[in-house]
PDB file of all heavy atoms in Angstrom:
ATOM      1  N   HIS C1224     119.227  93.512  66.755  1.00 88.00           N
ATOM      2  CA  HIS C1224     120.636  93.889  66.532  1.00 88.00           C
ATOM      3  C   HIS C1224     121.464  92.625  66.940  1.00 88.00           C
ATOM      4  O   HIS C1224     122.803  92.797  66.703  1.00 88.00           O
ATOM      5  CB  HIS C1224     121.025  95.040  67.389  1.00 88.00           C
ATOM      6  CG  HIS C1224     120.459  96.383  66.836  1.00 88.00           C
ATOM      7  ND1 HIS C1224     120.567  96.660  65.606  1.00 88.00           N
ATOM      8  CD2 HIS C1224     119.589  97.190  67.401  1.00 88.00           C
ATOM      9  CE1 HIS C1224     119.971  97.883  65.401  1.00 88.00           C
ATOM     10  NE2 HIS C1224     119.357  98.182  66.521  1.00 88.00           N
ATOM     11  N   GLY C1225     120.994  91.631  67.464  1.00 84.00           N
ATOM     12  CA  GLY C1225     121.700  90.372  67.837  1.00 84.00           C
ATOM     13  C   GLY C1225     122.502  90.515  69.083  1.00 84.00           C
ATOM     14  O   GLY C1225     123.398  89.733  69.385  1.00 84.00           O
ATOM     15  N   ASP C1226     122.109  91.394  69.894  1.00 84.00           N
ATOM     16  CA  ASP C1226     122.814  91.641  71.243  1.00 84.00           C
ATOM     17  C   ASP C1226     122.188  90.818  72.286  1.00 84.00           C
ATOM     18  O   ASP C1226     121.193  91.342  73.009  1.00 84.00           O
ATOM     19  CB  ASP C1226     122.942  93.097  71.595  1.00 84.00           C
ATOM     20  CG  ASP C1226     123.760  93.453  72.693  1.00 84.00           C
ATOM     21  OD1 ASP C1226     124.344  92.588  73.246  1.00 84.00           O
ATOM     22  OD2 ASP C1226     123.912  94.651  72.943  1.00 84.00           O
ATOM     23  N   ASP C1227     122.553  89.670  72.436  1.00 86.00           N
ATOM     24  CA  ASP C1227     121.912  88.681  73.426  1.00 86.00           C
ATOM     25  C   ASP C1227     121.903  89.243  74.855  1.00 86.00           C
ATOM     26  O   ASP C1227     120.884  89.024  75.433  1.00 86.00           O
ATOM     27  CB  ASP C1227     122.334  87.249  73.214  1.00 86.00           C
ATOM     28  CG  ASP C1227     122.193  86.665  71.848  1.00 86.00           C
ATOM     29  OD1 ASP C1227     121.294  87.157  71.116  1.00 86.00           O
ATOM     30  OD2 ASP C1227     122.899  85.675  71.473  1.00 86.00           O
ATOM     31  N   LYS C1228     123.081  89.544  75.296  1.00 89.00           N
ATOM     32  CA  LYS C1228     123.167  90.059  76.644  1.00 89.00           C
ATOM     33  C   LYS C1228     122.269  91.174  76.963  1.00 89.00           C
ATOM     34  O   LYS C1228     121.469  91.173  77.828  1.00 89.00           O
ATOM     35  CB  LYS C1228     124.578  90.346  76.992  1.00 89.00           C
ATOM     36  CG  LYS C1228     125.011  90.877  78.333  1.00 89.00           C
ATOM     37  CD  LYS C1228     124.692  89.796  79.359  1.00 89.00           C
ATOM     38  CE  LYS C1228     124.984  90.305  80.713  1.00 89.00           C
ATOM     39  NZ  LYS C1228     124.241  89.884  81.911  1.00 89.00           N
ATOM     40  N   THR C1229     122.167  92.188  76.128  1.00 90.00           N
ATOM     41  CA  THR C1229     121.373  93.335  76.269  1.00 90.00           C
ATOM     42  C   THR C1229     119.899  92.959  76.158  1.00 90.00           C
ATOM     43  O   THR C1229     119.071  93.410  76.943  1.00 90.00           O
ATOM     44  CB  THR C1229     121.761  94.421  75.174  1.00 90.00           C
ATOM     45  OG1 THR C1229     123.062  94.797  75.232  1.00 90.00           O
ATOM     46  CG2 THR C1229     120.864  95.686  75.438  1.00 90.00           C
ATOM     47  N   ALA C1230     119.547  91.944  75.285  1.00 89.00           N
ATOM     48  CA  ALA C1230     118.244  91.576  75.114  1.00 89.00           C
ATOM     49  C   ALA C1230     117.724  90.700  76.397  1.00 89.00           C
ATOM     50  O   ALA C1230     116.647  91.115  76.926  1.00 89.00           O
ATOM     51  CB  ALA C1230     118.051  90.654  73.863  1.00 89.00           C
ATOM     52  N   GLN C1231     118.638  90.012  76.994  1.00 92.00           N
ATOM     53  CA  GLN C1231     118.261  89.388  78.238  1.00 92.00           C
ATOM     54  C   GLN C1231     117.946  90.352  79.331  1.00 92.00           C
ATOM     55  O   GLN C1231     117.119  90.249  80.165  1.00 92.00           O
ATOM     56  CB  GLN C1231     119.305  88.366  78.633  1.00 92.00           C
ATOM     57  CG  GLN C1231     119.536  87.191  77.720  1.00 92.00           C
ATOM     58  CD  GLN C1231     118.459  86.292  77.958  1.00 92.00           C
ATOM     59  OE1 GLN C1231     117.611  86.253  78.982  1.00 92.00           O
ATOM     60  NE2 GLN C1231     118.363  85.130  77.156  1.00 92.00           N
ATOM     61  N   ASP C1232     118.962  91.395  79.435  1.00 93.00           N
ATOM     62  CA  ASP C1232     118.850  92.257  80.602  1.00 93.00           C
ATOM     63  C   ASP C1232     117.506  93.192  80.370  1.00 93.00           C
ATOM     64  O   ASP C1232     116.813  93.466  81.268  1.00 93.00           O
ATOM     65  CB  ASP C1232     120.073  93.310  80.647  1.00 93.00           C
ATOM     66  CG  ASP C1232     121.248  92.423  81.006  1.00 93.00           C
ATOM     67  OD1 ASP C1232     121.128  91.465  81.589  1.00 93.00           O
ATOM     68  OD2 ASP C1232     122.343  92.892  80.707  1.00 93.00           O
ATOM     69  N   GLN C1233     117.248  93.585  79.020  1.00 93.00           N
ATOM     70  CA  GLN C1233     116.139  94.436  78.753  1.00 93.00           C
ATOM     71  C   GLN C1233     114.920  93.551  78.931  1.00 93.00           C
ATOM     72  O   GLN C1233     113.837  94.235  79.405  1.00 93.00           O
ATOM     73  CB  GLN C1233     116.274  94.866  77.267  1.00 93.00           C
ATOM     74  CG  GLN C1233     115.191  96.013  76.874  1.00 93.00           C
ATOM     75  CD  GLN C1233     115.423  97.279  77.667  1.00 93.00           C
ATOM     76  OE1 GLN C1233     116.528  97.618  77.870  1.00 93.00           O
ATOM     77  NE2 GLN C1233     114.358  97.919  78.002  1.00 93.00           N
ATOM     78  N   LEU C1234     114.945  92.390  78.697  1.00 93.00           N
ATOM     79  CA  LEU C1234     113.702  91.391  78.854  1.00 93.00           C
ATOM     80  C   LEU C1234     113.284  91.597  80.446  1.00 93.00           C
ATOM     81  O   LEU C1234     112.164  91.572  80.773  1.00 93.00           O
ATOM     82  CB  LEU C1234     113.935  90.127  78.550  1.00 93.00           C
ATOM     83  CG  LEU C1234     112.858  89.044  78.749  1.00 93.00           C
ATOM     84  CD1 LEU C1234     111.650  89.442  77.870  1.00 93.00           C
ATOM     85  CD2 LEU C1234     113.296  87.796  78.312  1.00 93.00           C
ATOM     86  N   LYS C1235     114.277  91.543  81.361  1.00 95.00           N
ATOM     87  CA  LYS C1235     113.921  91.421  82.756  1.00 95.00           C
ATOM     88  C   LYS C1235     113.376  92.730  83.180  1.00 95.00           C
ATOM     89  O   LYS C1235     112.351  92.746  83.862  1.00 95.00           O
ATOM     90  CB  LYS C1235     115.195  91.216  83.522  1.00 95.00           C
ATOM     91  CG  LYS C1235     115.810  89.906  83.454  1.00 95.00           C
ATOM     92  CD  LYS C1235     117.083  89.701  84.297  1.00 95.00           C
ATOM     93  CE  LYS C1235     117.810  88.395  84.208  1.00 95.00           C
ATOM     94  NZ  LYS C1235     119.095  88.242  84.775  1.00 95.00           N
ATOM     95  N   VAL C1236     113.819  93.769  82.676  1.00 95.00           N
ATOM     96  CA  VAL C1236     113.365  95.216  82.980  1.00 95.00           C
ATOM     97  C   VAL C1236     112.037  95.362  82.313  1.00 95.00           C
ATOM     98  O   VAL C1236     111.045  95.860  83.097  1.00 95.00           O
ATOM     99  CB  VAL C1236     114.358  96.270  82.340  1.00 95.00           C
ATOM    100  CG1 VAL C1236     113.688  97.630  82.392  1.00 95.00           C
ATOM    101  CG2 VAL C1236     115.660  96.308  82.967  1.00 95.00           C
ATOM    102  N   THR C1237     111.784  94.897  81.204  1.00 95.00           N
ATOM    103  CA  THR C1237     110.469  95.049  80.540  1.00 95.00           C
ATOM    104  C   THR C1237     109.370  94.138  81.253  1.00 95.00           C
ATOM    105  O   THR C1237     108.208  94.623  81.487  1.00 95.00           O
ATOM    106  CB  THR C1237     110.612  94.622  79.105  1.00 95.00           C
ATOM    107  OG1 THR C1237     111.507  95.431  78.410  1.00 95.00           O
ATOM    108  CG2 THR C1237     109.210  94.791  78.289  1.00 95.00           C
ATOM    109  N   ALA C1238     109.727  92.927  81.614  1.00 96.00           N
ATOM    110  CA  ALA C1238     108.721  92.043  82.267  1.00 96.00           C
ATOM    111  C   ALA C1238     108.348  92.694  83.735  1.00 96.00           C
ATOM    112  O   ALA C1238     107.289  92.576  83.993  1.00 96.00           O
ATOM    113  CB  ALA C1238     109.485  90.712  82.488  1.00 96.00           C
TER     114      ALA C1238
END
Side-chain angles (χ1 to χ4, degrees):
H1224 292 302
D1226 191 356
D1227 295 339
K1228 177 67 174 146
T1229 305
Q1231 291 282 355
D1232 293 341
Q1233 190 65 38
L1234 178 64
K1235 288 179 185 177
V1236 171
T1237 303

